[in-house]
């Protein structure tokens, strides 16, 4: 691998202009940040399309862009399982069935919904785990980006880390959630427009989709798969061995399509916060659906170029390589940036790098703005300084706390990024562990929303037990050929999965089933403390459903949901 | 509050004109577009971004008029 590449003045100019705009938005919004509500909740004022694009942009962080392009090279079109089955059904479910309660309950965060629906201890558990997980995730993605910039652009690790963190801090400190959301919309367009040239050029080189299929045939057969295994999704999912991902259709459907995706999209406050900032109940329901429209097509932006990268890697004359000079192994995280390097001349190259920086910033700002809200409302206001009778002074006080939490969050993220550099394995491990929180959380929230009998004690125990089972499952199983205990088996190995992905799917499935069945069982045996009157607006059967689907039929949430669902099905069939 | 379409429109208009001008200036440079298979990708990106930026700004103008 040729080490670094030189950038010209124009590339730097593009990045600089982008930074000026990002900070400028924060600066302009600063004067609207008069109280905690404006700063932490964007005053519930966002139009649906703005909230919707921010919703999807937060999800389109640097780890997503790097990871999915790499997965394209590794697994081919099967990677789209993370989108068409692994995101769209959950996004529709969130929009249609869950948003009315998240939004209508007036909860300011997901932990606060748990407090309103169940009790204080369930909220506390979720709030603390979420706060830690968010900061950790932010630090890990900062590390990933800075190390990439160092390896490929030769930028100083410390400088790119501190500089990008400072910019994110700048605009989130100035304009709070509004600024994060506005910038996410801007970043969404930058990411799409900045990465589009590699989609066009890479497909042009291999002769379009048809040419790509032909070029893949010898490579894929050589790997021991059917010739079209990298350009199809479900066709070879009948047996784990015959598809590149190494998982069967039922693991994908249950693990990814249900437990993992519903856990992520329907309970992660980072995501839900964008919809909570929408201007009306209808806009809040539309937010995930508007986000789902571009989400379905993101595979063509990042996965397809990744598949072309596989062709390039196998063509010695292309000069394209993602081999790590130190280990001699392919480093799939490098795929996206090596594609930028391979195809883009000065000018659009600066644009492509700006897109990568934008994806990083949207992810990190999402983490920081979710962290400061949970910290201020669910931890500080609940346990450290409760509200007083003086509303005005309170609002000023919590605004200050929210601002300080923003600075604190960024500083701890930076520390986490350095820890990730020092103890990479431990951070990987922690990330795996925290990814296990969502599956039981979904079980508990869904039961709480749709079954009025669910009690607080049952929810709390269900959450804890689901998490414990996830840990045990991870500790007792390992993926084939695992060399470190980070991948599992740290309690002894009872079962070996063919691939890590299968292990992750089953960890989530076990956690979900345990949590759901315990919560149901305990709800039936513990006393229902909250009365039906207290649960209005929080539970499906007790909430009047008016004003949730207003508007002309064409712009109703339900119409949009059908549209999204049908497009996802068509795409699935086209690339079956 | 600030209309987000304004900064989006301005950003892409500025970047579009910049990249378009760069594309025109480098059009006759044979070395420049070897990577992109002799496609002047700056020209095309520049045109597209300028149009997109202009579209956003016109959209804002039109909704302002309607009000």
């Amino acid at each position: 691998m040729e080490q670094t590449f030189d950038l010209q003045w124009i590339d730097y100019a593009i990045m600089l202009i982008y930074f000026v705009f990002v900070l400028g938005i924060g600066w302009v919004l600063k004067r609207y940040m008069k109280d905690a509500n404006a700063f932490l909740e964007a005053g519930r004022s966002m139009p649906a399309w703005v909230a919707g694009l921010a919703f999807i942009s937060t999800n389109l962080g640097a780890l997503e862009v790097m990871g999915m392009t790499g997965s394209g090279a590794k697994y081919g079109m099967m990677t789209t399982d993370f989108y068409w089955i692994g995101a769209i059904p959950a996004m529709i479910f969130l929009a249609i069935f869950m948003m009315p309660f998240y939004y209508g309950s007036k909860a300011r965060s997901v932990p606060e919904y748990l407090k309103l629906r169940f009790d204080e201890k369930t909220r506390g558990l979720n709030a603390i785990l979420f706060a830690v997980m968010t900061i950790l995730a932010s630090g890990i993605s900062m590390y990933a980006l800075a190390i990439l910039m160092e390896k490929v652009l030769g930028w100083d690790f410390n400088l790119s880390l501190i500089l990008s963190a400072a910019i994110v801090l700048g605009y989130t400190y100035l304009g709070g959630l509004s600024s994060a959301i506005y910038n996410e919309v801007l970043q969404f367009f930058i990411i799409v427009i900045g990465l589009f040239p590699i989609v066009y050029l890479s497909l042009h080189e291999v002769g379009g989709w048809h040419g790509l299929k032909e070029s893949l045939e010898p490579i894929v057969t050589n790997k021991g798969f059917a010739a079209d295994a990298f350009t199809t999704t479900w066709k070879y999912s009948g047996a784990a061995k015959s598809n590149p991902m190494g998982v069967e259709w039922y693991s994908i459907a249950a693990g990814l399509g249900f437990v993992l995706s519903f856990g992520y999209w329907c309970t992660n406050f980072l995501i839900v916060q964008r919809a909570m900032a929408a201007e009306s109940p209808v806009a809040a329901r539309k937010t995930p659906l508007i986000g789902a429209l571009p989400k379905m097509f993101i595979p063509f932006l990042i996965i397809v170029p990744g598949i072309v990268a596989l062709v390039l890697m196998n063509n010695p004359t292309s000069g394209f390589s993602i081999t790590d000079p130190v280990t001699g192994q392919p480093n799939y995280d490098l795929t996206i940036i090596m594609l930028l390097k391979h195809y883009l001349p000065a000018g659009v190259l600066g644009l492509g790098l700006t897109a990568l920086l934008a994806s990083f910033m949207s992810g990190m700002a999402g983490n920081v703005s979710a962290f400061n809200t949970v910290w201020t409302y669910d931890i500080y206001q609940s346990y450290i300084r409760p509200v007083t009778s003086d509303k005005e002074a309170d609002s000023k006080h919590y605004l200050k706390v929210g601002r300080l939490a923003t600075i604190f969050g960024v500083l701890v993220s930076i520390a986490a990024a350095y820890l990730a550099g020092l103890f990479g394995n431990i951070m990987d491990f922690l990330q795996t562990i925290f990814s296990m929180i969502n599956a039981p959380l979904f079980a508990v929230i869904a039961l709480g929303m749709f079954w009025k009998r669910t009690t607080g004690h049952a929810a709390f125990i269900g959450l804890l037990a689901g998490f414990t089972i996830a840990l045990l499952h991870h500790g007792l199983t390992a993926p084939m050929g695992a060399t470190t205990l980070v991948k599992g088996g740290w309690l002894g190995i009872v079962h070996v999965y063919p691939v890590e992905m299968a292990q992750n799917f089953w960890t989530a499935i076990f956690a979900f089933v345990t949590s759901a069945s315990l919560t149901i069982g305990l709800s039936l045996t513990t006393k229902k403390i909250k009365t039906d009157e207290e649960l209005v607006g929080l539970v499906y059967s007790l909430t009047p459903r008016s004003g949730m689907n207003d508007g002309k039929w064409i712009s109703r949430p339900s119409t949009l949901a059908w549209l999204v669902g049908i497009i996802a099905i068509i795409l699935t069939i086209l690339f079956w | 509050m600030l209309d987000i379409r304004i900064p989006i429109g301005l950003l892409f208009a500025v970047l579009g004109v910049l990249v378009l001008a760069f594309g025109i200036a480098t059009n006759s440079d044979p070395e420049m577009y070897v990577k992109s298979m002799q496609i002047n990708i700056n020209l095309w990106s520049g045109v597209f971004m300028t149009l997109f930026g202009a579209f956003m700004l016109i959209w804002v103008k039109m909704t302002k008029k309607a009000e």
Side-chain angles (χ1 to χ4, degrees), chain A residues 274-472:
Chain A
R274 269 70 201 152
M276 282 179 166
E279 61 189 356
S280 69
V282 174
R285 287 182 94 195
K286 278 193 201 163
T287 297
L289 299 169
I290 289 171
L293 286 170
K295 178 77 181 172
M296 289 187 277
F297 296 97
I298 286 171
F300 301 108
L301 191 70
I302 55 183
I303 297 176
V304 170
I307 304 178
V308 177
L310 176 66
V311 176
L312 296 178
M313 274 175 234
N314 285 281
N315 175 4
T317 59
S318 75
F320 181 91
S321 161
I322 55 163
T323 308
D324 191 300
V326 182
T327 61
Q329 295 292 318
N331 178 356
Y332 286 96
D333 281 350
L334 294 176
T335 312
I336 182 74
I337 203 152
M338 295 316 281
L339 280 169
L340 293 179
K341 179 184 175 179
H342 185 77
Y343 283 117
L344 302 185
V348 279
L349 178 61
L351 207 60
L353 290 170
T354 307
L356 216 54
L357 286 171
S359 76
F360 160 75
M361 288 186 178
S362 65
M364 181 177 175
N367 283 315
V368 171
S369 57
F371 168 81
N372 63 18
T373 307
V374 167
W375 166 260
T376 308
Y377 289 146
D378 294 301
I379 299 173
Y380 184 77
Q381 197 177 77
S382 307
Y383 303 113
I384 301 171
R385 184 191 174 279
V387 281
T388 59
S389 54
D390 186 352
K391 273 204 167 147
E392 203 146 303
D394 268 6
S395 185
K396 289 262 176 309
H397 179 77
Y398 293 123
L399 171 64
K400 205 156 101 215
V401 172
R403 283 224 153 104
L404 286 175
T406 308
I407 300 179
F408 178 75
V410 170
L411 289 179
V412 181
S413 297
I414 295 175
Y418 280 104
L419 282 177
L422 287 174
F423 311 103
N425 275 348
I426 296 174
M427 294 303 266
D428 275 356
F429 180 69
L430 288 175
Q431 206 180 24
T432 317
I433 299 296
F434 283 116
S435 73
M436 295 170 185
I437 298 172
N438 286 334
L441 186 59
F442 175 67
V444 165
I445 293 184
L447 280 168
M449 258 181 202
F450 298 102
W451 189 39
K452 63 176 183 175
R453 187 72 187 79
T454 318
T455 65
H457 293 320
F460 183 75
I461 303 286
L463 267 187
L464 267 186
F467 189 44
T468 314
I469 288 293
L471 268 178
L472 281 177

Side-chain angles (χ1 to χ4, degrees), chain B residues 3-60:
Chain B
D3 188 328
I4 180 62
R5 290 171 296 179
I6 297 170
I8 294 176
L10 286 175
L11 174 65
F12 282 101
V14 170
L15 289 183
V17 170
L18 179 69
V19 173
L20 175 62
F22 188 71
I24 294 170
T26 54
N27 198 30
S28 52
D29 185 347
E31 289 282 292
M32 182 80 192
Y33 295 103
V34 173
K35 282 176 170 183
S36 56
M37 296 159 279
Q38 296 308 325
I39 297 168
N40 189 336
I41 191 78
N42 282 324
L43 197 73
W44 292 111
S45 287
V47 168
F48 179 78
M49 285 195 290
T50 313
L51 289 177
F52 179 72
F55 164 76
M56 278 284 168
L57 294 174
I58 292 168
W59 185 20
V60 175

Side-chain angles (χ1 to χ4, degrees), chain A residues 109-125:
Chain A
S109 65
V110 169
E112 192 166 65
Y113 175 82
L114 290 172
K115 151 84 181 159
L116 295 171
R117 173 62 187 84
F118 299 119
D119 50 22
E120 189 59 60
K121 60 179 179 302
T122 314
R123 179 243 286 266
L125 177 66

Side-chain angles (χ1 to χ4, degrees), chain A residues 1 7 46 79 151-152 182 190 266 273 300 346 361 376 417 474 535 546 556:
Chain A
M1 188 177 91
L7 296 180
M46 295 291 158
T79 311
K151 267 189 190 156
V152 185
Y182 272 15
I190 280 278
C266 302
Q273 187 180 30
F300 301 108
M361 288 186 178
T376 308
H474 187 258
L535 295 178
S546 60
R556 275 179 202 153

Side-chain angles (χ1 to χ4, degrees), chain A residues 464-509:
Chain A
L464 267 186
F467 189 44
T468 314
I469 288 293
L471 268 178
L472 281 177
H473 183 264
H474 187 258
L476 290 171
T477 60
M480 190 96 76
T483 47
T484 66
L485 294 179
V486 172
K487 304 281 181 203
W490 35 273
L491 292 171
I493 296 172
V494 176
H495 183 77
V496 174
Y497 287 101
V499 287
E500 196 178 343
M501 208 174 299
Q503 184 197 20
N504 288 339
F505 290 179
W506 285 99
T507 303
I509 294 171

